[in-house]
Amino acid sequence: MATKHEQILQYIDRLPIGSKISVRQIAKDLDVSEGTAYRAIKEAETQGYVSTIERVGTVRIEKKQKENIERLTFAEVVNIVDGHVLGGREGLHKTLNKFVIGAMQLEAMMRYIDAGSLLIVGNRYQAHKIALQQGAAVLITGGFDTSEEIKQLADRLALPIISSSYDTFTVASMINRAIYDRLIKKEIVMVEDVLKPLAETPVLLPSDPVAKWHQYTELYQDTRFPVVDEHMRLIGIVTSKDIIGHEETATIDKVMTKNPITTSPRVSVASSAHTMVWEGIELLPVVDNHRKLVGVLSRNDVLKALQYTAKQPQMSETFPNLIMSHFREERKADELLYLGDVTPQMTNHLGTIASGIMTTVMVEAACNLLRHHRRGDMVPENVTVYFLKPVQMESQIEVQPRLLDISRRFGKVEVSVYHGEQLVGQAMVTAQIIER
């Protein structure tokens, strides 16, 4: 039987998109305490199908799928551009498909506007009206207002009209930046994307005999199984090592490993892979906030996910990628080195290279060197920076990583940075190697 918490989550999940949600109302409708209702609403928010929108309240929203993550809701646009809503608040939960900048004749502009668009325009009332009639929301730049007639039309159609004090170029840049950040998130594979779900996961009960484990190994061709109680809460895990020396009549609760290491659905696969390698485990149970089993993550699942991400086209750049794009790789004799210039973006307020940037360059150079020796993903475990000197903007630096030690799982690299003949930085980098 479902707990009250689960009943509330199921109730929220069944609500129509756009429904307002209040702690008091849910507590009254489902006859639960307000504390229980509040915790369930927060859980729904974490799972991504409820959102708290400023000046609107808590609303049931459509859960964003991985392939849809580059889209924004109009409520998110309000927050991004520091805007305020002039009308159409009921449509803030809706998702925009594209935005159109209204810097053209009205007739030409309307050819680009369709339902789900966002028109970014100044104080052109006629453009506001026609955009709403065609199913698009409107973002007015320059802090301008619109007419009462258009505000009423927006309310009637549940299409937001948002006003922002920023100019059109700044607004478009802010929205682009938000979409760009989401594309980076899209590339990061989470545990929930690759786990084996509960419906496909064989589980054992603490009262089951060891004989059942033997049956499962033949049936599922595996030797590791999670152990759950009657509420599907994880209480242990059983592997072949646990079974050795025990009679088939012994119960699972007597042989299982209690309190096993777990992960959650919203953890990155890379982080979970690090845990599995570090702890030397092949199967990682995935649990929710109430320790209920959601599924399992095997080492094979992790390897497939890392291979998948390695083959994806780069849709966006993270800061380390952007920093290293200013460096070119060269070989001098048997050594690998990196040459690059200190750009203005790399400097601190004194005009010298920022210590964080210098550290990033040294870590990336070390990991690149390890990739030449081992195929896989490098996860820095320890970075000791023991020498730094200021380097001026527009200076050329040479980064020299030197391999000290490497095994199947770990690598150790010393990195030296030179400006001309002068040593300006030195660090020791130890990285874990996750083989693909």
Side-chain angles (χ1 to χ4, degrees):
M1 184 179 170
T3 62
K4 285 184 178 180
H5 181 87
E6 291 165 333
Q7 288 170 11
I8 300 168
L9 286 175
Q10 290 164 7
Y11 171 81
I12 294 171
D13 194 31
R14 289 194 296 267
L15 289 173
I17 304 298
S19 301
K20 296 264 185 77
I21 298 168
S22 84
V23 170
R24 190 169 296 173
Q25 192 60 47
I26 283 186
K28 184 181 173 186
D29 290 349
L30 298 182
D31 191 26
V32 295
S33 71
E34 290 191 4
T36 303
Y38 174 80
R39 285 189 293 275
I41 291 171
K42 283 296 166 190
E43 173 78 12
E45 204 165 343
T46 302
Q47 292 182 18
Y49 57 91
V50 163
S51 178
T52 301
I53 300 169
E54 194 176 347
R55 297 186 289 275
V56 172
T58 305
V59 181
R60 170 75 168 91
I61 61 168
E62 185 176 3
K63 187 170 182 179
K64 284 191 180 73
Q65 298 302 314
K66 196 81 170 175
E67 64 274 11
N68 236 20
I69 202 166
E70 66 271 24
R71 296 185 181 181
L72 301 168
T73 64
F74 295 119
E76 289 169 314
V77 171
V78 174
N79 292 332
I80 290 163
V81 302
D82 297 327
H84 63 277
V85 183
L86 303 176
R89 289 179 184 280
E90 296 298 321
L92 282 172
H93 67 279
K94 293 177 181 175
T95 303
L96 71 140
N97 301 319
K98 66 176 181 179
F99 64 87
V100 178
I101 296 175
M104 57 190 92
Q105 293 282 344
L106 201 61
E107 296 77 22
M109 192 192 304
M110 292 309 122
R111 287 204 298 270
Y112 293 96
I113 296 173
D114 47 32
S117 300
L118 174 69
L119 174 65
I120 301 174
V121 70
N123 56 342
R124 298 171 65 181
Y125 290 6
Q126 193 61 23
H128 303 169
K129 185 175 181 179
I130 295 174
L132 289 170
Q133 289 170 340
Q134 292 192 198
V138 179
L139 173 52
I140 306 169
T141 59
F144 292 110
D145 203 344
T146 191
S147 69
E148 285 303 316
E149 177 200 352
I150 291 170
K151 290 177 187 177
Q152 289 169 13
L153 177 63
D155 287 337
R156 196 162 63 248
L157 297 175
L159 287 168
I161 286 202
I162 304 158
S163 177
S164 172
S165 58
Y166 296 112
D167 60 81
T168 301
F169 175 79
T170 305
V171 160
S173 299
M174 291 167 115
I175 295 172
N176 260 332
R177 177 73 253 177
I179 291 172
Y180 188 78
D181 287 346
R182 285 175 178 238
L183 288 172
I184 292 173
K185 290 181 184 177
K186 183 177 180 178
E187 291 169 8
I188 299 171
V189 180
M190 309 302 281
V191 168
E192 65 183 359
D193 300 322
V194 298
L195 61 76
K196 184 187 288 184
L198 185 59
E200 299 170 21
T201 304
V203 297
L204 290 165
L205 296 173
S207 56
D208 287 334
V210 167
K212 191 164 185 179
W213 177 87
H214 288 289
Q215 291 170 12
Y216 272 24
T217 56
E218 290 183 22
L219 186 61
Y220 298 106
Q221 298 298 300
D222 203 347
T223 59
R224 304 167 187 85
F225 305 103
V227 184
V228 297
D229 64 15
E230 66 272 18
H231 301 296
M232 294 305 291
R233 281 192 293 263
L234 183 76
I235 57 172
I237 194 165
V238 176
T239 70
S240 52
K241 284 191 290 186
D242 300 314
I243 296 299
I244 293 170
H246 291 280
E247 297 290 332
E248 291 201 353
T249 52
T251 53
I252 293 294
D253 61 335
K254 299 291 191 298
V255 302
M256 69 183 184
T257 300
K258 295 177 181 176
N259 302 315
I261 296 165
T262 63
T263 189
S264 72
R266 295 298 300 158
V267 169
S268 72
V269 168
S271 175
S272 296
H274 182 276
T275 301
M276 293 174 86
V277 172
W278 183 257
E279 299 291 343
I281 52 181
E282 298 283 336
L283 190 77
L284 198 58
V286 184
V287 297
D288 64 14
N289 292 342
H290 302 278
R291 210 166 169 79
K292 289 189 73 170
L293 190 67
V294 176
V296 292
L297 187 69
S298 71
R299 189 172 287 216
N300 282 341
D301 296 329
V302 168
L303 293 176
K304 283 178 189 172
L306 294 175
Q307 287 166 356
Y308 168 79
T309 51
K311 291 174 185 173
Q312 292 307 295
Q314 286 298 309
M315 299 176 69
S316 53
E317 294 282 358
T318 56
F319 282 125
N321 295 142
L322 289 169
I323 292 165
M324 293 309 289
S325 67
H326 295 285
F327 288 81
R328 68 181 186 275
E329 186 178 287
E330 289 190 2
R331 282 196 175 275
K332 188 184 288 184
D334 292 333
E335 294 179 349
L336 189 70
L337 55 89
Y338 295 86
L339 293 170
D341 296 321
V342 178
T343 64
Q345 294 96 329
M346 293 182 188
T347 59
N348 55 26
H349 67 288
L350 300 172
T352 60
I353 190 167
S355 56
I357 301 293
M358 180 73 97
T359 304
T360 298
V361 170
M362 290 193 283
V363 170
E364 290 298 307
C367 290
N368 286 344
L369 177 64
L370 290 173
R371 286 187 194 100
H372 279 270
H373 293 269
R374 289 281 186 278
R375 187 180 168 201
D377 290 286
M378 307 302 156
V379 182
E381 286 244 313
N382 189 286
V383 181
T384 306
V385 180
Y386 43 82
F387 182 71
L388 282 178
K389 284 191 80 171
V391 183
Q392 292 298 315
M393 186 191 315
E394 296 179 352
S395 301
Q396 188 178 75
I397 56 177
E398 184 177 298
V399 186
Q400 299 179 1
R402 184 167 65 94
L403 186 66
L404 298 179
D405 189 25
I406 192 166
S407 67
R408 196 167 64 86
R409 290 190 176 183
F410 293 95
K412 186 177 284 188
V413 179
E414 183 182 58
V415 186
S416 302
V417 184
Y418 291 89
H419 172 43
E421 298 295 318
Q422 187 180 30
L423 181 69
V424 293
Q426 204 159 34
M428 184 76 71
V429 180
T430 305
Q432 187 184 118
I433 303 167
I434 302 173
E435 294 180 335
R436 288 192 190 133

